PDB file of all heavy atoms in Angstrom:
ATOM      1  N   GLU A1512       1.566  12.691  16.252  1.00 97.00           N
ATOM      2  CA  GLU A1512       0.618  11.976  15.453  1.00 97.00           C
ATOM      3  C   GLU A1512       0.885  10.698  15.031  1.00 97.00           C
ATOM      4  O   GLU A1512       2.095  10.262  14.982  1.00 97.00           O
ATOM      5  CB  GLU A1512       0.291  12.829  14.174  1.00 97.00           C
ATOM      6  CG  GLU A1512      -0.283  14.304  14.621  1.00 97.00           C
ATOM      7  CD  GLU A1512      -0.341  15.100  13.306  1.00 97.00           C
ATOM      8  OE1 GLU A1512       0.610  15.181  12.528  1.00 97.00           O
ATOM      9  OE2 GLU A1512      -1.275  15.839  13.088  1.00 97.00           O
ATOM     10  N   ALA A1513      -0.072   9.904  14.692  1.00 97.00           N
ATOM     11  CA  ALA A1513       0.047   8.542  14.125  1.00 97.00           C
ATOM     12  C   ALA A1513      -1.020   8.390  12.978  1.00 97.00           C
ATOM     13  O   ALA A1513      -1.832   9.331  12.742  1.00 97.00           O
ATOM     14  CB  ALA A1513      -0.144   7.469  15.181  1.00 97.00           C
ATOM     15  N   VAL A1514      -1.057   7.396  12.338  1.00 97.00           N
ATOM     16  CA  VAL A1514      -1.980   7.232  11.184  1.00 97.00           C
ATOM     17  C   VAL A1514      -2.640   5.868  11.317  1.00 97.00           C
ATOM     18  O   VAL A1514      -1.969   4.977  11.747  1.00 97.00           O
ATOM     19  CB  VAL A1514      -1.245   7.340   9.787  1.00 97.00           C
ATOM     20  CG1 VAL A1514      -0.786   8.860   9.608  1.00 97.00           C
ATOM     21  CG2 VAL A1514      -0.190   6.398   9.523  1.00 97.00           C
ATOM     22  N   ALA A1515      -3.691   5.622  10.686  1.00 97.00           N
ATOM     23  CA  ALA A1515      -4.546   4.360  10.745  1.00 97.00           C
ATOM     24  C   ALA A1515      -5.291   4.303   9.490  1.00 97.00           C
ATOM     25  O   ALA A1515      -6.025   5.334   9.192  1.00 97.00           O
ATOM     26  CB  ALA A1515      -5.285   4.019  11.894  1.00 97.00           C
ATOM     27  N   GLY A1516      -5.475   3.217   8.760  1.00 97.00           N
ATOM     28  CA  GLY A1516      -6.329   3.056   7.619  1.00 97.00           C
ATOM     29  C   GLY A1516      -7.873   3.284   8.220  1.00 97.00           C
ATOM     30  O   GLY A1516      -8.227   2.753   9.237  1.00 97.00           O
ATOM     31  N   LEU A1517      -8.536   4.072   7.316  1.00 97.00           N
ATOM     32  CA  LEU A1517      -9.973   4.357   7.649  1.00 97.00           C
ATOM     33  C   LEU A1517     -10.893   3.702   6.717  1.00 97.00           C
ATOM     34  O   LEU A1517     -11.995   3.177   7.160  1.00 97.00           O
ATOM     35  CB  LEU A1517     -10.050   5.960   7.763  1.00 97.00           C
ATOM     36  CG  LEU A1517     -11.453   6.460   8.094  1.00 97.00           C
ATOM     37  CD1 LEU A1517     -11.656   6.127   9.657  1.00 97.00           C
ATOM     38  CD2 LEU A1517     -11.425   8.053   7.875  1.00 97.00           C
ATOM     39  N   GLU A1518     -10.556   3.705   5.464  1.00 98.00           N
ATOM     40  CA  GLU A1518     -11.406   3.066   4.406  1.00 98.00           C
ATOM     41  C   GLU A1518     -10.480   2.741   3.232  1.00 98.00           C
ATOM     42  O   GLU A1518      -9.534   3.464   2.919  1.00 98.00           O
ATOM     43  CB  GLU A1518     -12.554   4.032   4.051  1.00 98.00           C
ATOM     44  CG  GLU A1518     -13.587   3.505   3.036  1.00 98.00           C
ATOM     45  CD  GLU A1518     -13.133   3.487   1.643  1.00 98.00           C
ATOM     46  OE1 GLU A1518     -12.328   4.323   1.220  1.00 98.00           O
ATOM     47  OE2 GLU A1518     -13.767   2.583   0.857  1.00 98.00           O
ATOM     48  N   ILE A1519     -10.807   1.623   2.630  1.00 98.00           N
ATOM     49  CA  ILE A1519     -10.105   1.315   1.397  1.00 98.00           C
ATOM     50  C   ILE A1519     -11.054   0.568   0.438  1.00 98.00           C
ATOM     51  O   ILE A1519     -12.030  -0.120   0.763  1.00 98.00           O
ATOM     52  CB  ILE A1519      -8.824   0.359   1.720  1.00 98.00           C
ATOM     53  CG1 ILE A1519      -7.908   0.239   0.432  1.00 98.00           C
ATOM     54  CG2 ILE A1519      -9.266  -0.905   2.286  1.00 98.00           C
ATOM     55  CD1 ILE A1519      -6.640  -0.276   0.781  1.00 98.00           C
ATOM     56  N   ASN A1520     -10.947   0.799  -0.830  1.00 98.00           N
ATOM     57  CA  ASN A1520     -11.591   0.102  -1.856  1.00 98.00           C
ATOM     58  C   ASN A1520     -10.632  -0.298  -2.956  1.00 98.00           C
ATOM     59  O   ASN A1520      -9.498   0.317  -3.165  1.00 98.00           O
ATOM     60  CB  ASN A1520     -12.725   0.925  -2.348  1.00 98.00           C
ATOM     61  CG  ASN A1520     -12.283   2.091  -3.220  1.00 98.00           C
ATOM     62  OD1 ASN A1520     -11.554   1.955  -4.127  1.00 98.00           O
ATOM     63  ND2 ASN A1520     -12.719   3.285  -2.834  1.00 98.00           N
TER      64      ASN A1520
END
Side-chain angles (χ1 to χ4, degrees):
E1512 297 173 315
V1514 298
L1517 185 63
E1518 188 275 338
I1519 189 164
N1520 68 55

